[in-house]
Amino acid sequence: MTKDRKAPLAACVKQSMERYFHDLNGEKTAGVYDMVISEVEKPLLEIVMRHVKSNQCKAAEILGINRNTLRKKLKQYKLL
């Protein structure tokens, strides 16, 4: 994948995070890393699972993760 193909996602994350911190208006926050990961990870899993017609072996291969890790994440997001 070229750098240009990664840029739109990175730009969306950057813009969203800038807006998030702006909207906090000085209020304290915590758990930002987990919040962002869960916001990105769930739709990623949904799309990949749809693409492979729910074949977990294929999905794990596409994602570059172990099938057991995939199953754990699918359960975590109530996608199983």
Side-chain angles (χ1 to χ4, degrees):
M1 183 179 297
T2 66
K3 185 178 179 182
D4 292 336
R5 290 191 63 196
K6 288 192 236 179
L9 180 57
C12 288
V13 172
K14 184 177 179 179
Q15 181 181 13
S16 293
M17 292 310 302
E18 287 172 347
R19 187 173 354 155
Y20 174 79
F21 284 112
H22 176 267
D23 291 349
L24 282 175
N25 199 26
E27 292 291 321
K28 289 187 177 184
T29 188
V32 173
Y33 179 82
D34 287 338
M35 175 191 71
V36 171
I37 295 303
S38 67
E39 288 288 323
V40 173
E41 196 169 45
K42 184 177 180 182
L44 170 65
L45 295 171
E46 290 171 333
I47 296 298
V48 170
M49 290 302 291
R50 187 178 317 137
H51 175 73
V52 297
K53 297 176 176 60
S54 299
N55 183 314
Q56 292 177 17
C57 290
K58 287 182 181 178
E61 184 178 338
I62 287 172
L63 292 165
I65 61 176
N66 181 285
R67 186 176 165 276
N68 290 332
T69 301
L70 174 62
R71 285 185 59 74
K72 179 179 140 191
K73 291 180 178 296
L74 292 172
K75 286 179 183 178
Q76 175 186 345
Y77 294 111
K78 296 176 176 55
L79 297 174
L80 270 184

